[in-house]
Amino acid sequence: MTELARPRIRSGRAMVAAGLLLALSSLWPAIPATAAPAEDAIQWAVGPAPSASGEARSTIDYTLPPETEINDRVAISNLGNEPLTLAVYATDAFTTPEGSFTLLTADQKPVDLGSWISFESPTVTIAPATTVQIPFRMTLPKDATPGDHAAGIVASRQVSGSADGNTRLAVDQRVGTRVYVRVNGTLNPALSITKLSVDYGAAMYPFRNRDATVKYTVHNGGNIRLGGTGTISLLAPFGARMAKSQPLSIPPLLPNESFTGTISVGGAFPAGRVTARMDLDGVNPPGVVPLDTPHQRQSTTTWAVPWLLAAVVVVILLVWPGRRMLRTGYARIVRRNR
């Protein structure tokens, strides 16, 4: 899934980045991640209604074949003391480069799971201190691709605001809950290390360990949601391990998404040529049927030279032949004068 444009601020009737300040933590009632002015504080929560059997749910999650139609409900609570009118809709989800689950902004049109979900009415009015269950319909198209799809169901409202006391803004306050659908078909778990680099910096002293900075990119090239765990090792020439990082955690990535991380690995001896090796294993998110994922390993190298020692060696190599030539010339002059 291609990462889409970030929220933006415009003058006049603009939509503001508060649209992405969602509480999509899979908890219900949801806790909004934005702090609005006191008079416009977010006072509602969104979450899945209980299942048909009455069981509580943290997300709306289905495994279905294409051309399937189902009906479900989302629960919206008014936590305030005044009636509340909210817009209700679904939109596509994606993972940010920093690993956070988020949604398209309100002015962007969904093209995947968000477009498969519809409501009878675009708005709902909720009495104070009341929870209502809003029905929705999910219709999978005939050409729905096998694998995992993600969306969010959002309840939102616009409030007036000002960025600098002069520019009038419309702030889109949104709270949502996650929706996952796995479309039946051939599943392909494919988590891979696409980029790996290491920077050792300038090692001045020959017997002092330094930290190496390792940057890595992990890509989900399969069709299922997949996270990962891994480690990074620093190796001296001939493969001796000098240092090892703490366990790395790769957030769950949707198909065709990437995550880039940076870690500092300490205890590396300036051994000349240093190799950074990353080991990675795929991890199925909680509640997802486990699938075997092949172990991944990628390596890259850099120079880790103690430059002060190298400079001393160079000086010795340059001075020693000259010293020897001076001694030889002096001996010849002595012999001639005898």
Side-chain angles (χ1 to χ4, degrees):
M1 185 180 295
T2 304
E3 181 183 339
L4 298 171
R6 298 290 188 275
R8 51 194 180 276
I9 297 179
R10 305 173 184 159
S11 61
R13 296 183 177 178
M15 304 297 293
V16 180
L20 282 185
L21 301 176
L22 292 170
L24 292 168
S25 61
S26 297
L27 297 176
W28 181 73
I31 302 172
T34 178
E39 63 274 14
D40 293 321
I42 293 177
Q43 297 181 348
W44 66 97
V46 182
S51 66
S53 60
E55 296 179 357
R57 299 179 291 176
S58 60
T59 60
I60 299 170
D61 203 331
Y62 286 97
T63 298
L64 301 167
E67 293 189 279
T68 299
E69 183 177 290
I70 64 168
N71 295 299
D72 203 337
R73 296 168 299 165
V74 62
I76 305 177
S77 299
N78 182 352
L79 308 178
N81 299 318
E82 300 291 337
L84 188 61
T85 298
L86 300 169
V88 182
Y89 62 93
T91 192
D92 294 338
F94 64 97
T95 307
T96 67
E98 297 75 29
S100 299
F101 180 98
T102 192
L103 304 177
L104 301 183
T105 53
D107 59 343
Q108 294 174 312
K109 185 177 180 179
V111 296
D112 197 64
L113 177 55
S115 66
W116 305 349
I117 299 171
S118 60
F119 291 85
E120 293 181 0
S121 174
T123 62
V124 61
T125 299
I126 310 172
T130 301
T131 296
V132 297
Q133 296 184 3
I134 309 299
F136 65 88
R137 178 174 297 171
M138 184 189 303
T139 304
L140 276 64
K142 181 179 180 179
D143 59 351
T145 56
D148 290 345
H149 304 258
I153 292 177
V154 175
S156 71
R157 71 170 178 178
Q158 291 187 28
V159 297
S160 298
S162 175
D164 54 11
N166 297 315
T167 305
R168 293 183 60 81
L169 303 172
V171 180
D172 188 20
Q173 297 177 326
R174 307 199 301 175
V175 180
T177 191
R178 305 186 190 201
V179 183
Y180 294 110
V181 169
R182 173 167 289 181
V183 178
N184 289 346
T186 302
L187 301 180
N188 174 35
L191 201 66
S192 61
I193 306 165
T194 56
K195 294 181 181 179
L196 185 67
S197 63
V198 56
D199 181 14
Y200 191 79
M204 294 299 297
Y205 302 102
F207 305 111
R208 181 179 298 177
N209 293 347
R210 285 179 52 85
D211 292 350
T213 301
V214 181
K215 187 175 182 179
Y216 56 91
T217 299
V218 176
H219 180 71
N220 183 0
N223 63 357
I224 67 166
R225 185 165 48 110
L226 200 61
T229 60
T231 57
I232 292 176
S233 301
L234 297 180
L235 310 177
F238 308 108
R241 189 170 71 186
M242 298 184 292
K244 185 177 181 180
S245 72
Q246 295 295 319
L248 304 174
S249 179
I250 309 300
L253 300 174
L254 294 167
N256 202 33
E257 290 187 339
S258 297
F259 172 76
T260 297
T262 303
I263 188 171
S264 181
V265 184
F269 184 78
R273 196 71 171 165
V274 170
T275 298
R277 185 184 70 196
M278 182 174 184
D279 290 276
L280 176 68
D281 292 291
V283 175
N284 292 274
V288 174
V289 177
L291 292 170
D292 291 335
T293 57
H295 178 81
Q296 300 289 322
R297 173 172 285 183
Q298 186 77 274
S299 298
T300 186
T301 59
T302 189
W303 287 104
V305 178
W307 296 111
L308 186 59
L309 178 61
V312 171
V313 171
V314 169
V315 170
I316 292 174
L317 292 176
L318 292 175
V319 171
W320 184 259
R323 181 173 179 270
R324 187 173 181 180
M325 291 176 62
L326 288 174
R327 291 180 60 184
T328 302
Y330 178 76
R332 289 177 179 177
I333 293 173
V334 171
R335 285 196 298 270
R336 288 176 183 175
N337 294 333
R338 286 179 178 178

